[in-house]
Amino acid sequence: MRSTTRFTTLFLAVAVVSFLPPFGWTQVYASASERQLFDAANRERQNRGLPVLKWDEALAKAAHRHAVEMAKQGTISHQFPGELSLPARVTKAGARFISLAENVAQAQSARQIHDLWMHSPGHRANLLDKDMNSVGIGVFERNRDLFAVEDFSRAK
């Protein structure tokens, strides 16, 4: 009887763990594109022996707001006239950080966005920065284009 109980407990533990998303994903309401970009970033980092990034909800909130602003403007930029700076945006959203970096892009799919970032030296450097340990990602769709923002931080 004891052997059966151990087997059942082990089976349930394996079943629960197998349904957990990769890389400690914690945001329940993220879009599929945000999840794809998060997973792609952490795959790139793991493939290079770098620590994975943890999801930061405050950074994601700031990133999403900026993605919406880019979609409204119909173009990408790190800051629009009258908009708060990156440090001010993430602080207002509640993030605590030592350092920050940001990637922005516009394309028709998350895969295209990730490829653009990986083929751009500056964006690639942000994504693979060994000193960054957190990320928040915001994606907003407008007219079949995705406006995406990755906000990275070295969290306090």
Side-chain angles (χ1 to χ4, degrees):
M1 186 70 160
R2 187 174 172 157
S3 175
T4 303
T5 303
R6 251 190 231 154
F7 175 76
T8 303
T9 303
L10 178 62
F11 175 78
L12 288 173
V14 169
V16 167
V17 169
S18 68
F19 286 105
L20 292 175
F23 308 120
W25 182 259
T26 59
Q27 187 185 31
V28 176
Y29 302 107
S31 72
S33 296
E34 290 163 350
R35 287 191 304 272
Q36 288 172 357
L37 290 169
F38 180 73
D39 290 343
N42 276 328
R43 266 193 308 278
E44 296 288 354
R45 292 175 67 88
Q46 274 192 324
N47 289 343
R48 289 159 179 81
L50 297 169
V52 296
L53 298 164
K54 69 177 182 169
W55 184 263
D56 185 298
E57 194 61 39
L59 290 176
K61 187 176 176 182
H64 182 76
R65 285 181 182 156
H66 189 61
V68 169
E69 186 60 32
M70 290 191 316
K72 279 179 20 182
Q73 299 286 334
T75 190
I76 61 171
S77 177
H78 290 284
Q79 185 177 8
F80 293 102
E83 185 183 31
L84 295 174
S85 66
L86 173 61
R89 288 195 313 260
V90 301
T91 298
K92 183 177 179 179
R96 299 186 68 218
F97 58 90
I98 296 168
S99 59
L100 291 171
E102 182 177 70
N103 287 350
V104 297
Q106 175 185 355
Q108 292 189 335
S109 73
R111 176 176 282 169
Q112 288 175 333
I113 289 168
H114 180 72
D115 287 345
L116 287 169
W117 285 335
M118 289 306 293
H119 288 94
S120 162
H123 294 106
R124 180 186 175 96
N126 288 342
L127 203 146
L128 299 177
D129 186 336
K130 66 177 176 47
D131 293 327
M132 297 298 177
N133 60 16
S134 300
V135 68
I137 300 169
V139 177
F140 190 81
E141 184 175 354
R142 178 178 173 225
N143 299 331
R144 289 191 264 171
D145 272 344
L146 299 179
F147 292 82
V149 178
E150 282 182 328
D151 285 341
F152 302 93
S153 80
R154 174 97 187 146
K156 282 187 176 182

